[in-house]
Amino acid sequence: MFSKVMRKTVEARRNSGKTLGLGLVLSFFALFLLTSQASAQSFSFSTGNPDGRMASASRPGPGPASGANQETESADDFVLTSQTAITSATFTGLLPAGVSLSDVTRVDVEIYRVFPNDSDVGRTSGPPTFSTSKVPTRVNSPSDVELFDRDSVDGNLTFTTTLLNGQFTALNSVDTGIHPKPNQQTLGDGPVTGQEVQFEVTFTNPFELAADHYFFVPQVLLSNPNNHFLWLSAPRPIVAPGTPFPPGTTDLQSWIRNADLEPDWLRIGADIVGGTTFNATFSEGGVELPPCSGPASGGTWKNHGKYVSTVAHIVGDFLEQGLITEEQADAIVSSAAESSCGKK
């Protein structure tokens, strides 16, 4: 319904030559559904700037099942305290010297929950370590399988790149040196120098996530698969200009795995390097949405339409301010309309 109303009104505006703001269109739509007076709240999170201590591989498949160019995932965590649509993100890493920004052929972003969610706990040793035949522990790791993903090839994310520094050195790296126990502690692959590049990602189909603890996994593929993107670390604990974790939550360390290690993960610091921990450099932005269970003020939704109209009102505010695109607004409200929130 949202898409039809919005598109018909925009078409009418074009035909008449009027300049009615699309945010106002959304407000009309929200009023049609008995809009609540919810105020729009933005979400933002950042781990801060690179600290030069670690650069870890993160590249998508499909690729060889093993070997130097196999799929590899690096992960770092974030916490949401309310239902949120993640509309954008940035992450910073190294491209090899001589590689052009135009050599980036694909960007993926995956979202994982924290183990034991979405995981086969039965294949582990159980508490307290939840070890497996491949790794010493799965406690506080990403889950076995991703919850959601977005991919530039599929067109549900777009990206731009910015060269920050033509020559940046990380004191250590983890790329091909990822091995199951008992050979997991390699001390790292050693220092690496490359071009410091920031990726700015827009999710044309935003991630809509409930309040929970998650892992963020960006992956970059280059035109020559023998060249590898390496994600740069950030300070742990987080320092300014990074965003502190919400009170009562814990900033978990970075993890990594390749296709050989899947579905398990290793801690980049504690397991591979030894005696240390890392964060990774990324940020996220988005829109805080009303809880599916009921209004933030308490109680339950009067009906499904009330929930959808509240989402439409919030999205309209963000669209009117130019903080999200029409495509993102359409995706968020369409998702609300397809949800069961408020249904009796």
Side-chain angles (χ1 to χ4, degrees):
M1 175 184 285
F2 173 80
S3 300
K4 291 180 180 177
V5 171
M6 181 173 67
R7 288 170 185 149
K8 286 181 179 178
T9 309
V10 171
E11 184 65 28
R13 180 189 64 187
R14 289 172 177 164
N15 291 340
S16 65
K18 294 179 180 179
T19 57
L20 180 64
L22 193 53
L24 187 57
V25 172
L26 288 173
S27 296
F28 287 158
F29 172 73
L31 287 170
F32 173 73
L33 289 175
L34 303 177
T35 301
S36 74
Q37 297 301 312
S39 59
Q41 297 291 326
S42 62
F43 164 78
S44 63
F45 171 75
S46 171
T47 57
N49 297 322
D51 61 5
R53 295 177 60 225
M54 170 56 62
S56 62
S58 207
R59 53 185 174 272
S66 61
N69 296 331
Q70 65 182 290
E71 180 177 6
T72 304
E73 299 166 281
S74 289
D76 196 17
D77 64 314
F78 65 98
V79 168
L80 298 177
T81 58
S82 64
Q83 184 91 5
T84 304
I86 304 296
T87 57
S88 63
T90 70
F91 59 93
T92 304
L94 297 182
L95 298 185
V99 169
S100 169
L101 298 183
S102 63
D103 289 329
V104 176
T105 61
R106 177 177 173 184
V107 172
D108 295 1
V109 173
E110 302 170 329
I111 301 295
Y112 285 80
R113 294 199 292 172
V114 180
F115 179 90
N117 292 300
D118 309 318
S119 302
D120 181 5
V121 179
R123 57 180 295 277
T124 74
S125 64
T129 62
F130 295 92
S131 63
T132 73
S133 61
K134 294 182 178 181
V135 298
T137 184
R138 288 295 304 278
V139 175
N140 289 331
S141 81
S143 55
D144 287 4
V145 296
E146 68 194 47
L147 180 64
F148 297 115
D149 71 89
R150 299 291 184 264
D151 185 342
S152 61
V153 173
D154 292 337
N156 46 36
L157 73 76
T158 60
F159 69 91
T160 59
T161 53
T162 302
L163 178 64
L164 301 179
N165 190 334
Q167 190 171 28
F168 185 97
T169 298
L171 299 178
N172 204 348
S173 61
V174 175
D175 184 359
T176 58
I178 304 169
H179 308 290
K181 71 176 189 182
N183 301 312
Q184 75 274 10
Q185 191 171 96
T186 66
L187 306 182
D189 296 346
V192 61
T193 298
Q195 304 172 84
E196 182 189 12
V197 175
Q198 183 180 75
F199 289 75
E200 297 183 10
V201 177
T202 298
F203 302 113
T204 54
N205 182 12
F207 289 112
E208 293 192 39
L209 303 173
D212 206 344
H213 204 150
Y214 298 95
F215 279 93
F216 177 87
V217 178
Q219 296 180 296
V220 175
L221 186 66
L222 303 177
S223 57
N224 181 348
N226 294 315
N227 290 325
H228 297 165
F229 166 79
L230 302 176
W231 192 12
L232 286 169
S233 63
R236 185 173 187 271
I238 294 173
V239 299
T243 309
F245 267 54
T249 64
T250 301
D251 176 13
L252 306 178
Q253 61 185 296
S254 294
W255 296 69
I256 196 169
R257 72 178 180 187
N258 56 19
D260 288 338
L261 199 67
E262 191 177 347
D264 293 324
W265 298 79
L266 287 167
R267 296 167 292 185
I268 296 174
D271 295 328
I272 297 178
V273 176
T276 189
T277 61
F278 302 99
N279 278 336
T281 305
F282 73 102
S283 69
E284 295 172 313
V287 181
E288 292 188 357
L289 301 174
C292 184
S293 57
S297 57
T300 60
W301 295 108
K302 183 178 180 180
N303 50 47
H304 179 60
K306 190 68 172 178
Y307 171 76
V308 176
S309 69
T310 302
V311 172
H313 178 80
I314 291 172
V315 167
D317 286 347
F318 275 77
L319 188 59
E320 189 174 20
Q321 297 173 59
L323 299 176
I324 60 175
T325 66
E326 177 183 329
E327 186 175 10
Q328 289 174 320
D330 189 48
I332 295 170
V333 178
S334 295
S335 178
E338 294 168 3
S339 75
S340 61
C341 301
K343 292 184 177 179
K344 304 300 182 181

